[in-house]
Amino acid sequence: MRRTTHLKAMAALSAVALLAACGDGGEDTGSGDTATEESSEEGAEEETSAEEEGSESEEPAAGGDGNTSDTFTFGYVLPETGQLAFLGPPQIEALGLAIEDINAAGGVLGNEVPDAVAGDEAGQEAAAQQAADRILAEQPSAIVGAAASGMSLAIIDRVTGANVMQCSGSNTAPTFTDYQDDGLYVRTAPSDALQGPVLANTIVNDGYSNVAIVARADDYGSGLADATATALENAGATVSLNETYDPLAREFNAVVSSVEAAEPDAVVVIAFEEGGQILQGMFEAGLTPDAVGVYGADGLRSADLGSIVNESDPSVIAGMKGTAPASADNPDFITRLQEFAPDLEETQFAPQVYDCAVTMALAAEAAGSVNAADFKAEVNGITSEGTECTSFEECKGLLEDGEDIDYNGASGPLDFTDAGEPGTATIEVYEFDDAGELQSVETVESNPSE
């Protein structure tokens, strides 16, 4: 299914948004440590309104039988609107390409996979829950999404409780590693527990030793902040500030004041689009990249960041660095995706979502069933310790020959742990050059601490 005209319009509406990796994109983030009372009350009113609108979806769906048909079917809960709408097109189109490739290889268990049932997470828990309930009523085999960790946490019990598999290509919050999901939630994006040490090592290797961290008050922000702080302290650095803030606040003067008071030699900002305001405030206070080390994470990895911080002088962010989950260097996949969706401009997390779809379809092939209650046991195993293969068609052929497979996908080797997530991660270190343009510096492999 090609939706490029609709998706192009969505992308245009969100052109000013920052490229955020997805710990959380929701508006139900709660009050942060530095939020103003006014903004907290306003946020609470917005949440109450959303809850009232979605009152019919407040309770998780009752336990279900999953897909009892003979046809493997997908649904997706991804951002078509809302704060992270710019991340919808690459993920939706990647799922469409995966379905096309699966069907070109004969489908799943001899049946073609139909177009995915669409659902918009919309940056609101109630909206994501309503979308999930509507899709679950169709008894799918699997749901791809949500993009934001907060939205996935809003629907995970519904999805897994219905015996449907859920796979996210962009959830990075550490929360999911130990989540009680009965083996029905997996992700192809690495946990921020693997990104934090790389960010910390980058800071320490740059010569900084007194670090202030400010982060969104959600699972993504607090999880990555704590992972980074722990790694910094293990490396001998001092964390002079580790504070969360309400991303719904109208202004962030209190955040900037806290950073100033900490007198750091480096500052880490773990943010989404509101990070532009925080950086503006820091720079006005003299906390510029030529005065202190300034670092971001995946939520601030955007080619437009310089112009967002200072439209007339994007070079103001020159020297700022950061880290983000990296995909394998796979130009062939990106070329194929752009041929499939010619209007697609952003490709972030597209390889990971493609791998979600292929992994779940291969698990169904291995189990001989399109019901997630049956194929969930095969998901982890097909990503490691077998004959390596790199496409659905190749891997399916090996399965038909009775071989164990190790699917190495568009995003690289997956090697799922028992928790259903990558056991290692390739993390990119990026930097903004003298013109304020985004550059990739290096990629680093990160492994769980022993």
Side-chain angles (χ1 to χ4, degrees):
M1 173 179 64
R2 300 202 181 196
R3 302 161 47 98
T4 51
T5 301
H6 175 55
L7 295 173
K8 184 176 181 181
M10 291 193 302
L13 290 172
S14 58
V16 298
L18 291 177
L19 173 61
C22 289
D24 200 324
E27 297 180 0
D28 284 358
T29 53
S31 299
D33 298 339
T34 62
T36 63
E37 182 176 344
E38 179 180 6
S39 66
S40 296
E41 291 175 354
E42 182 180 83
E45 291 173 359
E46 291 178 357
E47 292 172 18
T48 300
S49 176
E51 288 171 3
E52 289 173 352
E53 292 175 2
S55 60
E56 295 181 0
S57 297
E58 288 180 357
E59 294 300 324
D65 297 324
N67 186 346
T68 57
S69 75
D70 295 326
T71 301
F72 192 102
T73 54
F74 285 107
Y76 70 73
V77 179
L78 292 168
E80 295 182 331
T81 61
Q83 184 183 26
L84 297 180
F86 63 102
L87 282 182
Q91 301 197 47
I92 293 168
E93 295 292 8
L95 176 58
L97 177 59
I99 291 173
E100 181 175 271
D101 288 347
I102 290 167
N103 288 337
V108 176
L109 298 176
N111 293 316
E112 281 203 352
V113 177
D115 291 342
V117 182
D120 182 9
E121 66 187 76
Q124 297 182 11
E125 290 185 3
Q129 290 166 351
Q130 288 176 330
D133 288 347
R134 178 171 51 79
I135 295 168
L136 290 171
E138 302 293 325
Q139 293 186 300
S141 302
I143 286 179
V144 174
S149 290
M151 298 305 100
S152 280
L153 288 169
I155 67 173
I156 186 172
D157 291 337
R158 282 171 154 74
V159 178
T160 61
N163 270 321
V164 171
M165 178 68 70
Q166 179 180 353
C167 182
S168 174
S170 56
N171 290 165
T172 59
T175 309
F176 295 103
T177 299
D178 298 322
Y179 199 90
Q180 298 302 305
D181 53 44
D182 196 27
L184 286 164
Y185 171 92
V186 296
R187 56 178 167 179
T188 50
S191 167
D192 282 326
L194 300 180
Q195 182 183 178
V198 176
L199 178 55
N201 288 338
T202 301
I203 295 167
V204 172
N205 290 340
D206 286 345
Y208 300 110
S209 59
N210 183 30
V211 185
I213 302 172
V214 290
R216 294 171 57 92
D218 56 28
D219 287 282
Y220 163 64
S222 59
L224 181 51
D226 290 345
T228 303
T230 297
L232 283 167
E233 291 171 343
N234 289 341
T238 298
V239 178
S240 54
L241 177 71
N242 184 3
E243 185 171 272
T244 59
Y245 63 83
D246 182 358
L248 296 177
R250 291 183 176 180
E251 49 81 20
F252 299 92
N253 293 336
V255 177
V256 175
S257 295
S258 293
V259 173
E260 283 187 286
E263 299 183 347
D265 59 13
V267 184
V268 177
V269 180
I270 300 173
F272 288 169
E273 63 183 68
E274 77 284 352
Q277 296 180 59
I278 295 173
L279 291 172
Q280 286 174 0
M282 286 173 47
F283 295 172
E284 290 171 1
L287 297 168
T288 57
D290 59 355
V292 297
V294 179
Y295 296 84
D298 38 336
L300 292 177
R301 187 196 179 281
S302 171
D304 297 326
L305 181 60
S307 60
I308 291 172
V309 175
N310 189 329
E311 185 176 2
S312 63
D313 182 17
S315 68
V316 69
I317 62 171
M320 177 178 170
K321 289 185 175 182
T323 56
S327 298
D329 184 12
N330 194 342
D332 290 342
F333 172 77
I334 298 302
T335 297
R336 290 187 60 240
L337 179 63
Q338 291 174 333
E339 289 174 350
F340 177 79
D343 294 329
L344 190 63
E345 296 179 358
E346 179 57 58
T347 60
Q348 181 78 344
F349 296 121
Q352 285 87 351
V353 166
Y354 181 92
D355 288 343
C356 268
V358 172
T359 298
M360 291 187 288
L362 286 172
E365 283 282 340
S369 171
V370 300
N371 191 305
D374 299 324
F375 70 73
K376 67 181 181 181
E378 303 291 340
V379 172
N380 293 347
I382 63 171
T383 68
S384 61
E385 297 182 354
T387 302
E388 292 186 5
C389 50
T390 59
S391 69
F392 178 81
E393 182 178 22
E394 180 186 9
C395 294
K396 178 183 177 183
L398 292 171
L399 288 171
E400 290 172 346
D401 291 339
E403 293 194 42
D404 292 330
I405 62 170
D406 177 4
Y407 171 60
N408 291 335
S411 64
L414 296 171
D415 297 327
F416 277 174
T417 66
D418 290 343
E421 61 186 27
T424 61
T426 302
I427 305 297
E428 175 197 35
V429 179
Y430 65 83
E431 183 175 15
F432 294 93
D433 64 17
D434 291 343
E437 296 182 355
L438 179 64
Q439 304 292 337
S440 180
V441 176
E442 63 176 334
T443 56
V444 180
E445 185 174 286
S446 179
N447 297 285
S449 57
E450 298 297 333

